Amino acid sequence: MNLFQQLQHDRVQRLTRRHFLGQSALSLGGLWMGTQQGFGSVLKKDPAAPLAPDIPHFAPKAKRVIYLHMAGAPSQLELFDHKPELTKFDGKDCPQEFLEGKQFAFIQGVPKMLGSQYPFHQAGKSGQWISDRLPHFEEVIDDVCFIKSMWSDQFNHGPAQLLLHTGNAIPGSPSAGAWSTYGLGSENQNLPGFIVLTSGGKNPDAGKSVWGSGFLPSVYQGVQCRSQGDPVLYLGNPDGVSRKLRRRTLDALNQLNQSAATEFGDPETATRIAQYEMAFRMQIHASDAFDISEESAAVHQAYATQPGKESFANNCLLARRLAERGVRYIQLFDWGWDSHGTNDQTDLRKGFADKCRQVDQPIAALLKDLKQRGLLEETLVIWSGEFGRTPMRENRGGVEMKAVGRDHSPSAYTLWMAGGGVKPGFSYGETDPIGYEAVTDKVSAHDFHATLMTLLGYDHKRLTYPFQGLEQRLSNVTKHSRIVHEVIA
């Protein structure tokens, strides 16, 4: 035995189990992680085609989503949550038990109770309760599944919108649209898989984070488009730049990006190449998709559209056109539903009524149009705000205002869905007799996300992405979430 062999022999003789465990921790951890790939694993995405359609975990009920978000939170007590008991207390001082331990955005002192400002009645064969503010929507009410027991733990708009759309009240998490596109890809490689349309003159309070990609690759974020003018700014080529020249420029740029991707291995570089290529294809296909002038006079009359203007009605028609073209997730944000009663615009008797008139006919037309074209069955349409409104009349500084409004109320709000595998003509969950808190079959944002992923064909615990040492998911890894099987057909 030579000197080297003797040293090796002496070293092995001194090794203990402690040395083995200490030095092999990473290897053992790697073996364990290998056994977990069936539970939550990164999807195998082709960087050159990140939006290529993927096979879900099981047969989906819905192929796409159209989400209609009423930014500012419409009052459930003026639309869908009929509370005759509340009317009995109208104008009376709010009992102290309803105020203790509660956080309000503006209410101070002792506010007055406020009954619904509009009459309710039962509609359709399903007998769903609805106010007189939505006469057109009443015509499609038998296609709708209501969840009247939604609740939030956020009482300000921005955090509540983030919680509802990303599962987290602080910025940085991917939106539901980004998760859906990451999972399913897109059926149309010439348009973004996730498109956002806004109306009402402003973006939602939470800003673009509600359609962001968070820690997912940026290709899955929502692309904000316009219903007026060019759908995307700078979509067309500048004067003097032909399509052929644009193609040559992109080819040269792609070669540089490909060299950088090969050298540094940054997946965002490959994403950049794919995005440039999509932008090139969009110059033709996006302009066609957003040209609502191609629609018949009867369609424009049904939606109450105004071609050439920004409007919720135009966005509803665009949503149908995008759904037809295979866009996976279409998000409409309509601003102006924050009915505090500070002026005519936020008065439940004036501004709120105006907002209802703006959305009533287009929403009904969208559902009818999708159904007539055979798309509703495979398209999940969702409507909601970010929270509800109080059964008390809002005051400011303890003083009642001239206009009539309600403060933010996270304890209860209504969300409805149609098509995409949910039960039509069905109502789930209940609030207390005055509509203040969800009390029966409560549904959180995390429960809603778990249900959404299920309808799209994904096990919400297995559609994950590694970030900050955890296999992150839309339905949240630290909060309880359940699938609301009762609303699934």
Side-chain angles (χ1 to χ4, degrees), residues 54-318:
D54 267 320
I55 300 175
H57 293 144
F58 43 82
K61 299 277 188 178
K63 291 183 178 180
R64 68 191 68 87
V65 174
I66 298 175
Y67 199 127
L68 314 174
H69 184 96
M70 309 294 105
S75 171
Q76 75 280 13
L77 298 168
E78 268 67 45
L79 292 177
F80 304 119
D81 206 7
H82 179 44
K83 295 298 172 184
E85 191 70 18
L86 179 59
T87 304
K88 298 178 183 179
F89 294 97
D90 186 56
K92 297 181 180 180
D93 286 349
C94 177
Q96 195 62 31
E97 63 187 275
F98 296 156
L99 305 174
E100 292 177 350
K102 296 290 185 180
Q103 288 182 303
F104 299 100
F106 296 101
I107 284 178
Q108 296 177 352
V110 180
K112 302 291 186 182
M113 301 299 287
L114 182 67
S116 177
Q117 299 300 289
Y118 301 104
F120 274 73
H121 60 279
Q122 288 179 285
K125 295 180 180 179
S126 56
Q128 302 277 16
W129 285 99
I130 188 173
S131 79
D132 68 352
R133 293 300 88 194
L134 302 174
H136 293 280
F137 178 76
E138 183 178 324
E139 298 172 5
V140 296
I141 200 167
D142 284 334
D143 293 317
V144 171
C145 175
F146 289 95
I147 299 179
K148 297 185 178 179
S149 52
M150 294 292 299
W151 67 278
S152 175
D153 58 10
Q154 301 296 320
F155 65 95
N156 285 323
H157 295 291
Q161 290 167 359
L162 282 169
L163 178 64
L164 180 62
H165 291 288
T166 74
N168 199 324
I170 59 176
S173 295
S175 60
W179 278 110
S180 300
T181 313
Y182 165 66
L184 293 172
S186 179
E187 294 178 304
N188 188 335
Q189 301 303 300
N190 299 317
L191 292 170
F194 178 13
I195 288 180
V196 179
L197 302 167
T198 62
S199 57
K202 292 184 180 180
N203 282 343
D205 294 75
K208 297 182 179 181
S209 294
V210 289
W211 59 77
S213 58
F215 47 76
L216 291 176
S218 58
V219 69
Y220 301 113
Q221 70 185 353
V223 176
Q224 186 177 4
C225 296
R226 306 185 303 166
S227 57
Q228 179 183 13
D230 288 337
V232 180
L233 290 175
Y234 312 114
L235 184 65
N237 290 322
D239 291 340
V241 178
S242 66
R243 186 166 177 81
K244 183 177 180 180
L245 177 58
R246 179 64 174 165
R247 178 69 267 172
R248 290 173 60 194
T249 304
L250 280 179
D251 288 342
L253 188 59
N254 287 348
Q255 287 179 9
L256 293 174
N257 283 328
Q258 190 61 57
S259 297
T262 303
E263 182 176 357
F264 300 107
D266 185 353
E268 282 298 303
T269 307
T271 294
R272 188 186 310 147
I273 296 171
Q275 293 293 66
Y276 281 148
E277 288 300 313
M278 176 175 288
F280 182 74
R281 297 193 298 271
M282 280 179 64
Q283 288 184 327
I284 293 176
H285 297 276
S287 298
D288 171 69
F290 281 80
D291 186 7
I292 62 174
S293 66
E294 296 179 352
E295 299 288 343
S296 68
V299 169
H300 286 295
Q301 184 177 3
Y303 280 87
T305 49
Q306 296 177 297
K309 296 183 179 181
E310 179 188 271
S311 71
F312 180 77
N314 286 8
N315 288 349
C316 282
L317 179 52
L318 284 172

Side-chain angles (χ1 to χ4, degrees), residues 370-388:
L370 290 171
K371 190 173 184 178
Q372 185 268 329
R373 294 169 186 268
L375 290 170
L376 184 60
E377 185 176 342
E378 58 185 31
T379 304
L380 181 65
V381 182
I382 306 168
W383 178 99
S384 82
E386 58 266 27
F387 44 57

Side-chain angles (χ1 to χ4, degrees), residues 394-430:
E394 183 172 326
N395 57 30
R396 293 286 173 102
V399 178
E400 188 174 284
M401 297 173 292
K402 291 183 179 180
V404 178
R406 301 184 188 273
D407 205 350
H408 308 167
S409 183
S411 302
Y413 65 103
T414 297
L415 175 151
W416 62 254
M417 299 181 285
V422 298
K423 292 180 180 177
F426 183 71
S427 182
Y428 181 78
E430 293 181 4

Side-chain angles (χ1 to χ4, degrees), residues 299-369:
V299 169
H300 286 295
Q301 184 177 3
Y303 280 87
T305 49
Q306 296 177 297
K309 296 183 179 181
E310 179 188 271
S311 71
F312 180 77
N314 286 8
N315 288 349
C316 282
L317 179 52
L318 284 172
R320 189 266 288 163
R321 290 177 62 85
L322 293 171
E324 283 182 311
R325 287 161 172 79
V327 175
R328 189 68 72 182
Y329 204 98
I330 306 152
Q331 179 86 62
L332 274 60
F333 285 97
D334 184 57
W335 187 87
W337 291 91
D338 199 12
S339 303
H340 285 288
T342 53
N343 52 43
D344 284 352
Q345 188 177 1
T346 63
D347 192 331
L348 284 170
R349 301 165 303 183
K350 297 178 181 179
F352 179 84
D354 291 339
K355 292 302 297 182
C356 289
R357 280 191 290 271
Q358 290 172 19
V359 305
D360 177 34
Q361 184 174 341
I363 291 175
L366 174 62
L367 294 181
K368 290 178 181 177
D369 203 1

